[in-house]
Amino acid sequence: MSATLSALNGFRAASRAIDKYVFLRQLQHEDAGVFYRLLVNNAMEIMPYVYTPTVGEACQTYHTLPIAQQGVYITADDKGRVGEALRSRAPPSLANDLKVAVVTDGERILGLGDLGAGGMGIAEGKILLYSVCAGIRPNQCLPVCIDVGTDNKTLLEDPMYKGLRRERLRGREYDEVVEEFMSEMRSWQPRCLVQFEDFGNTNAFRILERYRHRQPCFNDDIQGTACIALAGVLSGLRATGADLTTQRILFYGAGEAGVGIGELIAMALEKRGMSHHDAINRCYFMDSKGLVCKQRLETPQTPRHALQPHKVTFAHNVEYQPDLLSAIDAIKPTVLIGVSTIHGAFDERVVRKMAALNPRPIIMPLSNPTSKAECTFEQAVTWTDGRAVFASGSPFPAMTYRGKTLHPAQANNAYVFPALGHAAVLAGAREVSDDAFLAAAEALSAMTTEAELAAGKLFPDFDSIREVSHDLTARVCELMERDGQGVKPAGVMDWKKYVDSQFWEPEPETPSKL
């Protein structure tokens, strides 16, 4: 029996999801060649156990798991010597030409909140996808966790917790740590792409805006989620036969993910001829205080109605609604997107209301992990009499409804962010623009066949992710060159051929001599 087949059997023999995660992490440490062959050849089966949803549980219990750390911690105590810490703590196997770093501060891990230094698990999970999906060599990828403390009292009181035992840095002190890290990354690895991952709302938007024009970087929670969500909506509209310009989109949740999706949808509408004002007015948001609207911009704002700055653009001149059902009645949305991390928020009344308003309602509970999903695939299908066009953030099983097998679409960021990151590296991009995410969404939405759409598949099978990523990488490279954000390397005539030449493959297994 080959080592890879033996490993696959061992993986399948583990009963609990977290045990499968530990098995894979131990395999990665002990035999990286077998580990990467296993992931590349069985992506659809194994990815949920190194990435979402299992990585959420792994981050919650990170410091109790019997696994070897793969990434680099930079802590608040490293201030003034971050560059030295980066270089000295980088794995010995790391290549001199680092391509990608996935960086988190652990404040908002998936829908689970502040997990402090346990956030290393999300950086280690995400970085794998650059190799498995988009063909960047594993030794050119680095996960980083910036540990600035945690406000999670459970962790601070846990004797097993290995992170800094203090409340999170805020304000100027926090910004100085991040600034030093980004400056040292530019100095150490000037061509390295930085992906921001699971920063809290108070920091995510402003950090992205501060650095996106200085060096190649993006925030996957804002821009990657927006890209895959827009691709899901566009693919869903292919299934319904409707046009994006006729849609009204209601978001339940108004954090970084939701607002990022709304802004990219507005860009897509402007591309189709709408004014910016009209495009923005097709997207509506609900937060914990009710419908985001102009009434809530009254001065002075009361805590009950206050709006954070990132929501103000979507505060439309509509009547305030206190809850989701009343908002659906008032707005009559055609698309309902969940980014609330509130399990069960799309209950039977909500889903049936969407079905009453639309022949084919598009329902997208995007919150991760599965325990935070606004509804399940089975619920969406049953409560709409099989008419829902569905995509979720976490995976759900296929089901048979009235004799027909239906497949849930998973709006997995892994379809887009590894390809975008690889494109930025290959094109030597100075920055990663929103146009790149829009182009990737448009391209991905066109890749599913009509037969796949009829079965509920809004995205290509994940087992074809390397082919999908190859195509998207080449297309985004072309866009970056066209827009003057990147250039072809010397001697390169064709982006597709160049991407193919740079696409890493795991070493083939040596045949047994027995």
Side-chain angles (χ1 to χ4, degrees):
M1 181 184 296
S2 72
T4 306
L5 180 57
S6 177
L8 182 59
N9 289 338
F11 163 79
R12 289 171 174 168
S15 56
R16 299 184 304 159
I18 194 65
D19 294 332
K20 292 179 184 290
Y21 175 88
V22 169
F23 175 87
L24 291 166
R25 287 296 304 267
Q26 291 176 342
L27 179 64
Q28 180 184 15
H29 178 65
E30 295 165 5
D31 194 332
V34 171
F35 172 78
Y36 282 105
R37 279 197 299 274
L38 193 65
L39 260 67
V40 168
N41 295 330
N42 304 275
M44 195 166 186
E45 178 181 358
I46 294 178
M47 200 57 67
Y49 300 98
V50 293
Y51 183 43
T52 184
T54 309
V55 72
E57 183 180 354
C59 289
Q60 289 176 303
T61 58
Y62 188 82
H63 296 293
T64 69
L65 297 177
I67 57 176
Q69 177 187 316
Q70 297 291 321
V72 169
Y73 278 108
I74 298 297
T75 78
D77 291 342
D78 293 320
K79 186 179 175 184
R81 55 185 186 89
V82 168
E84 176 190 341
L86 266 174
R87 292 168 175 82
S88 65
R89 295 171 193 166
S93 61
L94 198 69
N96 291 329
D97 56 335
L98 187 65
K99 301 297 187 189
V100 180
V102 173
V103 182
T104 185
D105 71 352
E107 186 175 7
R108 193 203 62 83
I109 301 299
L110 302 172
L112 302 170
D114 186 349
L115 298 183
M120 177 61 82
I122 198 72
E124 291 171 332
K126 283 269 187 167
I127 203 73
L128 290 174
L129 305 186
Y130 279 98
S131 301
V132 174
C133 302
I136 299 181
R137 292 182 178 278
N139 68 343
Q140 294 178 314
C141 302
L142 180 67
V144 178
C145 182
I146 302 176
D147 182 3
V148 293
T150 178
D151 293 334
N152 186 327
K153 295 189 184 304
T154 301
L155 290 177
L156 292 174
E157 295 169 0
D158 185 350
M160 299 289 287
Y161 182 62
K162 298 175 184 175
L164 293 182
R165 292 181 180 274
R166 66 189 73 161
E167 292 184 351
R168 277 188 174 274
L169 284 184
R170 299 288 180 188
R172 181 178 57 82
E173 290 182 299
Y174 173 88
D175 288 349
E176 286 173 353
V177 173
V178 175
E179 172 64 30
E180 186 178 355
F181 170 78
M182 293 298 287
S183 175
E184 290 295 342
M185 281 297 296
R186 285 197 302 274
S187 173
W188 178 42
Q189 299 286 348
R191 293 175 60 84
C192 179
L193 172 84
V194 173
Q195 176 187 316
F196 299 118
E197 184 66 29
D198 284 352
F199 284 70
N201 285 342
T202 55
N203 293 317
F205 289 100
R206 62 190 193 84
I207 286 175
L208 176 62
E209 289 307 313
R210 179 175 297 166
Y211 296 105
R212 65 183 306 179
H213 302 302
R214 295 192 198 177
Q215 61 197 96
C217 63
F218 66 86
N219 183 304
D220 184 51
D221 307 296
I222 298 172
Q223 297 160 289
T225 300
C227 182
I228 191 63
L230 174 58
V233 170
L234 294 174
S235 189
L237 292 173
R238 287 179 57 208
T240 66
D243 189 84
L244 184 63
T245 58
T246 66
Q247 305 306 299
R248 293 178 301 280
I249 301 99
L250 176 60
F251 294 84
Y252 191 63
E256 58 192 271
V259 169
I261 300 168
E263 290 174 342
L264 196 64
I265 288 175
M267 277 188 66
L269 286 168
E270 289 181 63
K271 183 180 176 183
R272 287 159 171 78
M274 275 194 181
S275 68
H276 178 71
H277 175 269
D278 288 347
I280 289 291
N281 273 272
R282 292 302 181 91
C283 298
Y284 300 84
F285 283 83
M286 292 282 299
D287 64 13
S288 60
K289 302 177 180 69
L291 185 65
V292 173
C293 59
K294 280 190 176 179
Q295 287 177 251
R296 291 174 56 185
L297 291 174
E298 297 171 355
T299 305
Q301 289 191 35
T302 64
R304 181 171 173 237
H305 295 100
L307 284 178
Q308 294 169 284
H310 67 269
K311 303 175 188 178
V312 172
T313 299
F314 295 97
H316 305 316
N317 189 22
V318 293
E319 188 174 345
Y320 171 77
Q321 304 296 333
D323 56 65
L324 182 55
L325 265 179
S326 61
I328 292 174
D329 271 329
I331 294 165
K332 296 178 172 49
T334 56
V335 180
L336 180 62
I337 298 177
V339 281
S340 67
T341 71
I342 299 175
H343 177 71
F346 295 172
D347 61 20
E348 185 170 358
R349 295 176 305 159
V350 165
V351 175
R352 288 198 182 278
K353 176 64 72 173
M354 286 293 295
L357 290 170
N358 302 283
R360 298 290 310 278
I362 297 177
I363 298 175
M364 301 175 67
L366 298 183
S367 294
N368 280 315
T370 311
S371 62
K372 301 292 184 179
E374 287 80 6
C375 71
T376 68
F377 179 52
E378 183 178 5
Q379 289 169 339
V381 170
T382 302
W383 294 337
T384 62
D385 300 318
R387 293 184 284 121
V389 176
F390 179 92
S392 58
S394 286
F396 287 103
M399 64 176 287
T400 300
Y401 184 78
R402 295 180 180 173
K404 182 178 180 181
T405 299
L406 300 177
H407 298 268
Q410 185 187 359
N412 191 332
N413 292 24
Y415 279 110
V416 291
F417 78 80
L420 278 156
H422 200 178
V425 169
L426 294 179
R430 294 191 298 272
E431 64 179 87
V432 184
S433 70
D434 289 330
D435 285 331
F437 288 93
L438 180 58
E442 298 266 13
L444 180 62
S445 71
M447 290 184 181
T448 316
T449 67
E450 296 297 328
E452 288 171 329
L453 288 175
K457 298 180 179 181
L458 303 186
F459 307 105
D461 279 341
F462 204 78
D463 277 336
S464 66
I465 186 61
R466 287 174 73 83
E467 291 79 12
V468 171
S469 294
H470 187 289
D471 190 14
L472 287 182
T473 299
R475 292 192 192 202
V476 175
C477 283
E478 291 169 359
L479 172 80
M480 289 175 168
E481 181 190 18
R482 186 196 73 196
D483 291 352
Q485 295 171 354
V487 295
K488 278 195 181 88
V492 172
M493 302 298 293
D494 182 274
W495 276 116
K496 286 188 176 182
K497 290 181 180 178
Y498 182 62
V499 170
D500 188 56
S501 72
Q502 299 298 306
F503 221 75
W504 168 82
E505 295 281 351
E507 290 291 328
E509 189 156 20
T510 304
S512 172
K513 296 182 179 180
L514 295 178

